[in-house]
Amino acid sequence: LQKSALILSASLVLFSCVQETESPIMQENANRLEVLNTPASGEENLRKTAERNYFERFENVLETREGDASSGYAPYFPGKGVGNSTHMGKAFTFINQSFVSSEETKAAPVNMFFGAELIQIGIFGIPDNVSSITTDGKGNSVWFEAGKNSITFISPERLEFKAEVTIVGGTGKFAGATGTGEVTGFFNPDNGQGSSVIRGRIEY
């Protein structure tokens, strides 16, 4: 019995020593494994998305449409264009703005005049804050929300504009896209013809 008690005591002491010497090592290995398996800060998102430069240029034609109560009966300036985007190649744009003054327009829903046409090319579920869309017509599109659009009179045939834009989504490979940029350009108020450029950053 005494011999069994001695063996049991020795075993308990040995087990205690093993715990004291091996537990920190085991814990350290577990910590290392956790670190290896845990993405670094922001890495998980980087695996899914990447921020890139964004550039597009379009030749546009704007129209003048009669306003409604939601715009205080101020006219709208919807338009379409053809051009190129760095991430799509040949692309098309759909735009809508509302008159504020001779020196300013504001964003208006692109769905107001182009909703049916956009659905025909597979783009739908567009919220009202989206004022312009760039698409390749093959299911990929980038959605923009524009800020105040400042207009500068250059001549009777040329008005120049500038606005900050926010990328608020998209479709196809641009689903969930985010980003910011600046749109600049000009148009002829007599015939609505003009050009626009967006430079910025996009993440998708």
Side-chain angles (χ1 to χ4, degrees), residues 60-138:
N60 308 312
V61 178
L62 303 178
E63 303 176 44
T64 301
R65 297 285 189 94
E66 184 178 348
D68 57 16
S70 66
S71 68
Y73 298 98
Y76 292 100
F77 304 111
K80 296 194 288 186
V82 178
N84 285 274
S85 163
T86 48
H87 300 282
M88 298 186 209
K90 183 178 180 180
F92 310 91
T93 186
F94 298 84
I95 311 159
N96 194 22
Q97 294 281 311
S98 176
F99 178 86
V100 175
S101 72
S102 60
E103 298 179 346
E104 182 183 339
T105 63
K106 64 179 181 180
V110 70
N111 268 338
M112 185 175 289
F113 299 105
F114 302 115
E117 190 170 348
L118 289 166
I119 287 173
Q120 286 181 348
I121 58 176
I123 302 173
F124 48 86
I126 306 164
D128 285 345
N129 63 313
V130 176
S131 56
S132 70
I133 288 180
T134 297
T135 178
D136 59 5
K138 302 173 184 177

Side-chain angles (χ1 to χ4, degrees), residues 18-183:
V18 168
Q19 277 192 317
E20 289 178 3
T21 57
E22 290 189 0
S23 292
I25 295 173
M26 293 172 66
Q27 185 61 46
E28 183 179 355
N29 288 338
N31 289 342
R32 286 179 180 174
L33 185 61
E34 184 178 357
V35 168
L36 288 172
N37 290 331
T38 302
S41 178
E43 184 180 340
E44 186 174 12
N45 289 333
L46 288 174
R47 290 176 183 173
K48 300 177 183 178
T49 63
E51 189 179 55
R52 305 166 172 89
N53 289 327
Y54 185 87
F55 178 85
E56 65 176 47
R57 182 189 299 275
F58 286 96
E59 299 300 316
N60 308 312
V61 178
L62 303 178
E63 303 176 44
T64 301
R65 297 285 189 94
E66 184 178 348
D68 57 16
S70 66
S71 68
Y73 298 98
Y76 292 100
F77 304 111
K80 296 194 288 186
V82 178
N84 285 274
S85 163
T86 48
H87 300 282
M88 298 186 209
K90 183 178 180 180
F92 310 91
T93 186
F94 298 84
I95 311 159
N96 194 22
Q97 294 281 311
S98 176
F99 178 86
V100 175
S101 72
S102 60
E103 298 179 346
E104 182 183 339
T105 63
K106 64 179 181 180
V110 70
N111 268 338
M112 185 175 289
F113 299 105
F114 302 115
E117 190 170 348
L118 289 166
I119 287 173
Q120 286 181 348
I121 58 176
I123 302 173
F124 48 86
I126 306 164
D128 285 345
N129 63 313
V130 176
S131 56
S132 70
I133 288 180
T134 297
T135 178
D136 59 5
K138 302 173 184 177
N140 300 304
S141 68
V142 179
W143 301 354
F144 297 93
E145 178 180 358
K148 182 180 74 171
N149 192 21
S150 300
I151 299 173
T152 302
F153 177 87
I154 303 300
S155 73
E157 294 79 32
R158 185 182 177 98
L159 299 181
E160 295 186 352
F161 58 85
K162 179 188 294 186
E164 299 298 318
V165 294
T166 303
I167 297 171
V168 293
T171 58
K173 68 179 181 179
F174 301 107
T178 59
T180 57
E182 181 183 70
V183 57

